[in-house]
Amino acid sequence: MFLHTSHIRIQAIEDIYHFRHKIFSVAELLTVDAITVTTLSNSISSYLRKLPYPQEVEVQLKGDGEKITLSVQVQRSAKEERLLAAFFDEIQPTNNSSELLLVKHFRLREDFEDKFRAASNILDLKTKEELAQELLESSENLRKATLAKARMENELNVARDIQLSMLPLSFPAFPNKDEIEVFAQLIPAREVGGDFYDFYFLDDRHLAIVVGDVSGKGVPAALMMAVCKTLLKSRASTEQSTASILTYVNTEMAKDNPKSMFVTLFMGILDVQTGQFTYSNAGHNPTYIRRANGELERLSKLHGPVLAAMEGLVYRESTIELKTDDLVFAYTDGITEAHNEANELFSDDRLQQLLQQYPDEQAQPTVERIVQATQIFKGEREQFDDITAIALSFLGKGQAVATYDKEFCIKNEISEVQRAMIIFEEFAHEHRIPMPVMLKVNIVLDELLSNIIKYGFEDEDRLQLIDIKIELQAGKLLLEISDRGLPFNPFQKTPPDLSKSIEEREIGGLGIHLVRKLMDEHSYKRKIDQNVVLMIKYNIFE
């Protein structure tokens, strides 16, 4: 049994800082738990600051072979005892009703005797000169900590500004588009976070909207949010299938994800000329469609799991039709899972009631009203998650541009190439496509289809179909060829160096080089299990 008792007199605020340092140093010797050490010393000094001076504090160290006990006896203040309850193992009244005994147990360490002796010395051997030095050091450390905290807060504020600048914040978003209204709002819970939204036109008639939520909080979530948002927009620039976009983004994000973070996401693409809305949900909250008559449709179907969890997943998509004055509302769980001071959830039911409350409301007032209702519901309760919402009002079909198209398929047989060219010639004559353009497109068809049939399929004897789509719109001719053969991008090969002689050049590549020259634009994409080649010729009637 070891026992050591010290009496320390508190006469001024400086003595409390000195005493806190003693308790901190003693507790630090007895345990490796820095959090316990800090909270223990801070809590007792906070308690002492609320008591009158002068006063005498008794500190006792006791070791019984199994544990070390630190006891602190102070004046009693029932009003302030709550400050101590969470940090001491026992709080006991003494024989003197005006005093309080605080008890903390520490596990016995291997070097028990040396630690006990050192802790006892700390309690007894401090001088006023040492106190003055400690105060000086404490003041300097506080100054450094204050500067570091200010610098960190400034850097986080800059990071928040950068993150918010990545989101579209200018409204009305598309003042020249009478067919739609889009509005979104994000209220971050921290300086930076993982929620995001986005919206952009893929072309003159297709509008994409996105809302996502990255697992975790803080800087890691913000960085992953930036990666996801960038990949989505980049892929959407050449793709109009939400299933294909999410399939690609998932594979890219899952390749290097050591922290096993993930993203829940909803993405929709609206054809503003027809009202067709194609969407995919990757583990996200259900999106709502509020019809013009006030009816609410819940899009609860999931088209795949969360993004970035596993490579090789294939996502699906669904399609619905929006009518005039229908509204799409998507959000993150920071709305439905917001808690109030009574620990109640905002809930899906409350969100649905708010959506149906004003059926004639358009995108902006709907989002603003629901976000405001969430914050009012939360009250003084701390916001634990980002609050994000986006709404799309479909105000009516846009003016259609005259479009003529032809879709057909051929078998993977060389004799079918001629049939494809004949079908195109019939389309060209019907719509008065000039002869030079028709001849160029026939050369392109011959080259691309021949390559696909000869090299695109592993089993040459198995029947395969190749889909061909021709579209003529406002003087622009589009040619799309799709097949389910081996993944292959015909445009990835470096164009041949025509300055070299035939003997010096590598074999092959001239046909694809000719295709590039004859058309104005060319692109390739792998759409889930299909190769898709798109060729465009502009100003064909000039």
Side-chain angles (χ1 to χ4, degrees):
M1 169 73 72
F2 293 87
L3 183 66
H4 182 89
T5 302
S6 294
H7 295 271
I8 301 171
R9 189 167 180 80
I10 305 294
Q11 292 183 306
I13 188 71
E14 290 79 10
D15 295 324
I16 294 176
Y17 287 115
H18 178 50
F19 180 79
R20 179 180 67 182
H21 186 74
K22 282 189 176 185
I23 294 297
F24 182 96
S25 301
V26 169
E28 192 176 39
L29 282 168
L30 304 180
T31 182
V32 294
D33 184 353
I35 294 177
T36 298
V37 171
T38 303
T39 53
L40 188 71
S41 57
N42 285 348
S43 63
I44 193 168
S45 66
S46 296
Y47 180 85
L48 290 173
R49 282 198 300 272
K50 298 180 182 297
L51 299 180
Y53 313 130
Q55 58 176 292
E56 188 172 276
V57 181
E58 180 182 292
V59 183
Q60 188 178 86
L61 276 175
K62 182 166 55 176
D64 60 5
E66 296 181 354
K67 63 180 179 293
I68 302 175
T69 301
L70 171 66
S71 302
V72 182
Q73 187 168 311
V74 294
Q75 290 185 27
R76 184 166 193 174
S77 173
K79 180 181 178 182
E80 305 298 338
E81 285 179 26
R82 57 186 180 82
L83 292 173
L84 306 171
F87 307 116
F88 288 87
D89 298 321
E90 300 174 40
I91 298 180
Q92 306 171 357
T94 66
N95 294 332
N96 186 338
S97 60
S98 64
E99 294 181 342
L100 196 67
L101 184 65
L102 314 172
V103 182
K104 183 69 179 180
H105 303 299
F106 298 94
R107 291 195 312 264
L108 193 66
R109 295 175 56 160
E110 292 180 357
D111 51 350
F112 162 69
E113 292 186 23
D114 290 339
K115 297 299 182 185
F116 191 95
R117 192 178 302 111
S120 300
N121 289 337
I122 289 172
L123 290 172
D124 285 344
L125 299 180
K126 296 294 180 181
T127 65
K128 290 187 176 182
E129 289 75 14
E130 289 173 325
L131 172 60
Q133 181 62 31
E134 288 175 1
L135 286 172
L136 183 62
E137 292 175 358
S138 177
S139 176
E140 178 63 16
N141 290 337
L142 178 61
R143 186 187 67 83
K144 291 179 179 179
T146 301
L147 289 174
K149 181 181 179 183
R151 184 170 60 251
M152 182 177 293
E153 288 178 349
N154 183 61
E155 291 175 355
L156 285 173
N157 287 334
V158 171
R160 178 193 60 197
D161 293 342
I162 292 173
Q163 185 181 21
L164 290 177
S165 71
M166 297 180 66
L167 305 176
L169 300 172
S170 179
F171 300 100
F174 307 105
N176 297 324
K177 291 286 186 180
D178 297 330
E179 309 97 321
I180 51 97
E181 178 192 315
V182 184
F183 187 80
Q185 201 166 359
L186 190 157
I187 309 296
R190 298 186 180 183
E191 287 83 356
V192 290
D195 274 19
F196 67 98
Y197 66 82
D198 209 351
F199 51 84
Y200 38 82
F201 270 93
L202 309 182
D203 53 32
D204 290 340
R205 59 187 284 184
H206 292 95
L207 171 71
I209 65 168
V210 178
V211 64
D213 186 357
V214 180
S215 63
K217 301 286 182 271
V219 174
L223 291 174
M224 193 167 195
M225 161 260 174
V227 171
C228 183
K229 182 179 179 298
T230 302
L231 285 172
L232 284 165
K233 194 166 187 177
S234 174
R235 188 64 175 182
S237 65
T238 59
E239 179 64 77
Q240 294 183 2
S241 163
T242 55
S244 182
I245 294 170
L246 266 58
T247 298
Y248 168 80
V249 172
N250 173 74
T251 298
E252 292 300 309
M253 295 186 69
K255 284 179 181 177
D256 186 14
N257 186 13
K259 299 295 185 181
S260 299
M261 298 178 71
F262 59 85
V263 184
T264 70
L265 185 130
F266 175 87
M267 182 177 193
I269 297 177
L270 172 67
D271 185 335
V272 299
Q273 291 187 10
T274 65
Q276 178 176 290
F277 187 67
T278 303
Y279 64 94
S280 295
N281 187 323
H284 197 69
N285 308 85
T287 292
Y288 291 94
I289 306 293
R290 188 182 66 200
R291 298 295 184 179
N293 61 5
E295 292 181 1
L296 206 61
E297 296 181 20
R298 192 170 188 259
L299 307 182
S300 56
K301 182 178 180 180
L302 295 178
H303 299 88
V306 295
L307 297 176
M310 183 187 301
E311 289 187 65
L313 298 175
V314 177
Y315 290 77
R316 302 300 174 192
E317 62 187 29
S318 297
T319 301
I320 60 173
E321 183 180 356
L322 297 185
K323 304 289 187 181
T324 300
D325 294 329
D326 286 350
L327 177 137
V328 181
F329 182 85
Y331 61 99
T332 61
D333 57 13
I335 290 180
T336 51
E337 295 183 8
H339 286 69
N340 64 10
E341 293 168 310
N343 208 33
E344 298 170 326
L345 280 174
F346 188 84
S347 77
D348 294 327
D349 290 342
R350 186 175 275 103
L351 174 60
Q352 292 174 19
Q353 292 170 9
L354 287 169
L355 282 169
Q356 290 181 296
Q357 190 172 3
Y358 299 103
D360 297 331
E361 213 172 37
Q362 292 184 3
Q364 181 167 345
T366 297
V367 169
E368 290 177 336
R369 183 168 55 84
I370 290 175
V371 169
Q372 183 183 35
T374 306
Q375 293 180 300
I376 292 173
F377 174 83
K378 177 180 67 68
E380 296 300 319
R381 181 76 178 264
E382 181 183 357
Q383 182 181 330
F384 290 103
D385 203 357
D386 298 343
I387 295 172
T388 306
I390 183 171
L392 164 63
S393 292
F394 183 53
L395 306 179
K397 298 178 181 179
Q399 184 177 0
V401 177
T403 301
Y404 309 96
D405 56 45
K406 179 76 174 179
E407 295 185 45
F408 60 98
C409 59
I410 64 171
K411 294 179 286 187
N412 59 329
E413 298 173 355
I414 289 295
S415 60
E416 289 281 273
V417 176
Q418 184 63 30
R419 185 169 76 86
M421 295 167 65
I422 291 172
I423 293 174
F424 171 69
E425 288 177 5
E426 292 173 350
F427 179 87
H429 288 308
E430 180 181 356
H431 300 291
R432 300 186 179 184
I433 295 175
M435 181 61 70
V437 175
M438 183 181 72
L439 293 176
K440 290 177 181 179
V441 174
N442 266 342
I443 293 172
V444 170
L445 279 171
D446 190 359
E447 179 63 33
L448 292 177
L449 292 175
S450 297
N451 273 348
I452 293 170
I453 292 169
K454 289 178 182 177
Y455 309 114
F457 303 100
E458 289 183 312
D459 188 352
E460 296 180 359
D461 297 328
R462 183 182 175 189
L463 176 64
Q464 299 280 357
L465 296 179
I466 301 171
D467 298 316
I468 302 170
K469 179 179 179 181
I470 306 163
E471 184 176 296
L472 178 62
Q473 182 186 98
K476 178 174 68 175
L477 182 66
L478 294 88
L479 175 65
E480 184 180 275
I481 302 174
S482 307
D483 68 83
R484 288 181 171 79
L486 301 171
F488 177 67
N489 180 0
F491 305 113
Q492 66 183 358
K493 186 176 178 63
T494 304
D497 187 352
L498 300 181
S499 65
K500 295 181 179 180
S501 65
I502 295 178
E503 292 78 11
E504 295 176 315
R505 289 199 304 263
E506 292 185 16
I507 297 174
L510 283 174
I512 296 300
H513 176 68
L514 182 61
V515 169
R516 287 192 179 102
K517 291 292 185 182
L518 293 175
M519 303 298 281
D520 295 322
E521 284 189 21
H522 59 274
S523 65
Y524 165 85
K525 58 189 173 186
R526 183 71 180 177
K527 184 178 179 181
I528 306 179
D529 60 347
Q530 288 184 296
N531 297 304
V532 181
V533 172
L534 178 64
M535 312 294 298
I536 303 177
K537 190 70 177 175
Y538 293 104
N539 305 318
I540 65 172
F541 295 112
E542 295 182 3

